[in-house]
Amino acid sequence: MAPTTLAGKIWDRHVIERGDSDLLYIDLHLLHELTSPQAFEGLRTAGRAVRRPDLAVATADHNVPTSAEGLSLLDGLSARQLRIQRDNCRQAGIELHPLGSPGQGIVHVIGPELGLTQPGMTIVCGDSHTATLGAFGAIAFGIGTSQVEHVLATQTLWAPRPRTMAVTVRGMPRPGTTAKDLTLAIIARIGTAGGAGTLIEYRGEAIAALPMEGRMTVCNMAIEAGARSGMIAPDETTFAYLEHRERSPRGRLWEQALDDWRTLRTDDGAVFDREAVIDAASIGPQASWGTNPAQTTGIDGTVPAPESFADPAERAAAERALAYMDLAPGTAMRDIAISTVFIGSCTNGRLADLRAAADVLRGRRVAPGVRALVVPGSTRVKRLAEEEGLDEVFRAAGFEWRSSGCSMCVGMNGDAVEPGGRSASTSNRNFEGRQGPGARTHLVSPESAAASAVLGHLASAADLREH
Ligand SMILES: CC(C)[C@H](C(=O)O)[C@@H](O)C(=O)O
Ligand code: SF4
């Protein structure tokens, strides 16, 4: 057999019928409240039932309030959306983790913690950041609402065989560099269209060294490089994470699964449609300065001058970004004062992220005038964090300790950056108005977000050592 990529192997296992698009079997369908109501409505109109309710799991994340105050203000539209979701799931017999339940959380966070997302699977969800789940060596991608309906009705999907891209991160980054810094640096290097239309496989020493949480952070942002999804070959780190999870196979089935999962890797000599090689040694803590994630530089760097971009489109984009961000070329990244800090989202809202931020904050205080929020990625993350006292560390530092949801990442649920405000945010998107009208977003790691909160300007954790 010809050498095959990891993506190719998983794809081929799931093809039912070949064509310009292939008909693909879907192993797991995740649902949230925002992109599924019309799909269920479509099914009803067509008089169809959900074919495999046992292969779907739903939760509420985008529109849920994250504070007691927010809960009391839950507006008509959101409340209605949550009610519709509950009714749809009940009628179809789909497992739902609703607001207020112990399994609730951001859809891309709960799948892994339950052990639902496993190597070799095809996983879809009506949400672009489904890419996160590729970290397990699965093909996981976002779909539109009409495709959600198709999957509900048939458990299959028509999709063109994706082109593939290898992003190899050679060597190890500088100490203090996180998975978020790696993924931002990769996008800065290859650009927001660098992975256009492809399925990116991340590999190399720096990727293999990451724990599952970091791998999820990396794959989460494949979308911001234009890719359909990201993935990482499963290895001992993956298996150790999955062993003993609630929905992981057990006993003899676990052994059988392992035998199979160990075959899930790109064969030597397999050809990718595109390749990028990045040297990790040059990468340290990053922060975005503009209005797309590729407009990023090292925290040691300065805001670039638009003229420094050779490409006219990039130059124009930089000009526009600097105007929106109210930044002057040549400004040191560390001199950018912030008003808001957001730690959370499907990029960086897992327990490991909260631990890393709390380690930076222990015994320190948020700078006067800075509003700081920490929003666990799931209710389970919240519970586990509280069990180890992280909530106390955040509260003592002056952070608001919230309940799980997408929160300020998307600014549509009552949590938003104030107009004209400037945030250090652990989320994944920084376009105009993403975190609220007029809000300016700087994408950073949890460690850097915590350090920025303490210093009142963009910073990395190392900056606090002299503090
Ligand atoms: C609402 C949803 C469709 C959207 C996505 O697909 O990513 C959201 O999660 C986002 O991050 O912008
Ligand atoms: S946390 Fe943000 S990026 Fe992730 S699913 Fe929610 S809105 Fe999308």
mmCIF file of all heavy atoms in Angstrom, residues 32 34-35 62 126-129 429 434, ligand 1:
data_model
loop_
_atom_site.group_PDB
_atom_site.id
_atom_site.type_symbol
_atom_site.label_atom_id
_atom_site.label_comp_id
_atom_site.label_asym_id
_atom_site.label_seq_id
_atom_site.Cartn_x
_atom_site.Cartn_y
_atom_site.Cartn_z
ATOM 1 N N HIS A 32 -24.381 22.350 19.983
ATOM 2 C CA HIS A 32 -24.638 23.411 20.977
ATOM 3 C C HIS A 32 -25.901 24.172 20.606
ATOM 4 O O HIS A 32 -26.481 23.947 19.544
ATOM 5 C CB HIS A 32 -23.411 24.293 21.233
ATOM 6 C CG HIS A 32 -22.906 25.098 20.072
ATOM 7 N ND1 HIS A 32 -23.666 26.050 19.425
ATOM 8 C CD2 HIS A 32 -21.690 25.111 19.472
ATOM 9 C CE1 HIS A 32 -22.922 26.615 18.480
ATOM 10 N NE2 HIS A 32 -21.736 26.056 18.470
ATOM 11 N N LEU A 34 -26.648 27.107 19.667
ATOM 12 C CA LEU A 34 -26.731 28.192 18.693
ATOM 13 C C LEU A 34 -26.981 27.701 17.271
ATOM 14 O O LEU A 34 -27.728 28.322 16.523
ATOM 15 C CB LEU A 34 -25.411 28.977 18.744
ATOM 16 C CG LEU A 34 -25.488 30.453 18.395
ATOM 17 C CD1 LEU A 34 -26.406 31.180 19.359
ATOM 18 C CD2 LEU A 34 -24.090 31.059 18.447
ATOM 19 N N THR A 35 -26.355 26.604 16.875
ATOM 20 C CA THR A 35 -26.381 26.208 15.463
ATOM 21 C C THR A 35 -27.223 24.965 15.195
ATOM 22 O O THR A 35 -27.184 24.418 14.104
ATOM 23 C CB THR A 35 -24.934 25.948 14.949
ATOM 24 O OG1 THR A 35 -24.291 25.063 15.857
ATOM 25 C CG2 THR A 35 -24.154 27.228 14.840
ATOM 26 N N HIS A 62 -22.660 28.926 24.206
ATOM 27 C CA HIS A 62 -22.458 30.270 23.645
ATOM 28 C C HIS A 62 -23.261 31.360 24.338
ATOM 29 O O HIS A 62 -22.773 32.461 24.564
ATOM 30 C CB HIS A 62 -22.787 30.274 22.148
ATOM 31 C CG HIS A 62 -21.709 29.675 21.314
ATOM 32 N ND1 HIS A 62 -21.451 28.325 21.305
ATOM 33 C CD2 HIS A 62 -20.798 30.239 20.487
ATOM 34 C CE1 HIS A 62 -20.428 28.083 20.495
ATOM 35 N NE2 HIS A 62 -20.017 29.235 19.989
ATOM 36 N N GLY A 126 -21.565 21.812 14.719
ATOM 37 C CA GLY A 126 -21.857 23.069 14.028
ATOM 38 C C GLY A 126 -21.065 24.209 14.629
ATOM 39 O O GLY A 126 -21.634 25.175 15.144
ATOM 40 N N ASP A 127 -19.759 24.083 14.578
ATOM 41 C CA ASP A 127 -18.884 25.093 15.188
ATOM 42 C C ASP A 127 -17.460 24.905 14.684
ATOM 43 O O ASP A 127 -16.919 23.798 14.732
ATOM 44 C CB ASP A 127 -18.908 24.941 16.712
ATOM 45 C CG ASP A 127 -18.278 26.135 17.397
ATOM 46 O OD1 ASP A 127 -17.035 26.275 17.294
ATOM 47 O OD2 ASP A 127 -19.005 26.920 18.016
ATOM 48 N N SER A 128 -16.854 25.995 14.227
ATOM 49 C CA SER A 128 -15.553 25.870 13.559
ATOM 50 C C SER A 128 -14.453 25.332 14.478
ATOM 51 O O SER A 128 -13.529 24.666 14.014
ATOM 52 C CB SER A 128 -15.140 27.214 12.977
ATOM 53 O OG SER A 128 -14.964 28.156 13.998
ATOM 54 N N HIS A 129 -14.559 25.627 15.766
ATOM 55 C CA HIS A 129 -13.455 25.216 16.647
ATOM 56 C C HIS A 129 -13.511 23.748 17.081
ATOM 57 O O HIS A 129 -12.772 23.324 17.975
ATOM 58 C CB HIS A 129 -13.338 26.176 17.833
ATOM 59 C CG HIS A 129 -12.937 27.546 17.372
ATOM 60 N ND1 HIS A 129 -13.842 28.575 17.259
ATOM 61 C CD2 HIS A 129 -11.756 28.019 16.904
ATOM 62 C CE1 HIS A 129 -13.220 29.642 16.761
ATOM 63 N NE2 HIS A 129 -11.962 29.331 16.542
ATOM 64 N N ARG A 429 -9.917 34.632 18.752
ATOM 65 C CA ARG A 429 -10.259 35.558 17.664
ATOM 66 C C ARG A 429 -10.177 36.993 18.163
ATOM 67 O O ARG A 429 -10.595 37.294 19.281
ATOM 68 C CB ARG A 429 -11.669 35.262 17.141
ATOM 69 C CG ARG A 429 -11.671 34.007 16.293
ATOM 70 C CD ARG A 429 -13.003 33.708 15.663
ATOM 71 N NE ARG A 429 -12.809 32.611 14.716
ATOM 72 C CZ ARG A 429 -13.782 31.825 14.263
ATOM 73 N NH1 ARG A 429 -15.036 32.030 14.647
ATOM 74 N NH2 ARG A 429 -13.512 30.855 13.414
ATOM 75 N N ARG A 434 -15.199 41.593 18.098
ATOM 76 C CA ARG A 434 -15.399 40.210 18.545
ATOM 77 C C ARG A 434 -15.789 40.140 20.032
ATOM 78 O O ARG A 434 -16.647 39.371 20.426
ATOM 79 C CB ARG A 434 -14.116 39.410 18.302
ATOM 80 C CG ARG A 434 -14.063 38.048 18.985
ATOM 81 C CD ARG A 434 -15.033 37.063 18.368
ATOM 82 N NE ARG A 434 -14.868 35.724 18.949
ATOM 83 C CZ ARG A 434 -15.460 34.637 18.483
ATOM 84 N NH1 ARG A 434 -16.261 34.698 17.440
ATOM 85 N NH2 ARG A 434 -15.265 33.470 19.057
HETATM 86 C C1 LIG B 1 -21.189 30.330 16.892
HETATM 87 C C2 LIG B 1 -20.218 29.436 16.176
HETATM 88 C C3 LIG B 1 -20.848 29.015 14.890
HETATM 89 C C4 LIG B 1 -18.857 30.063 16.049
HETATM 90 C C5 LIG B 1 -17.867 29.153 15.334
HETATM 91 O O1 LIG B 1 -18.206 28.389 14.442
HETATM 92 O O2 LIG B 1 -16.697 29.175 15.638
HETATM 93 C C6 LIG B 1 -18.304 30.462 17.401
HETATM 94 O O3 LIG B 1 -18.099 29.393 18.230
HETATM 95 C C7 LIG B 1 -17.076 31.279 17.250
HETATM 96 O O4 LIG B 1 -16.082 30.983 17.904
HETATM 97 O O5 LIG B 1 -17.105 32.253 16.507
#
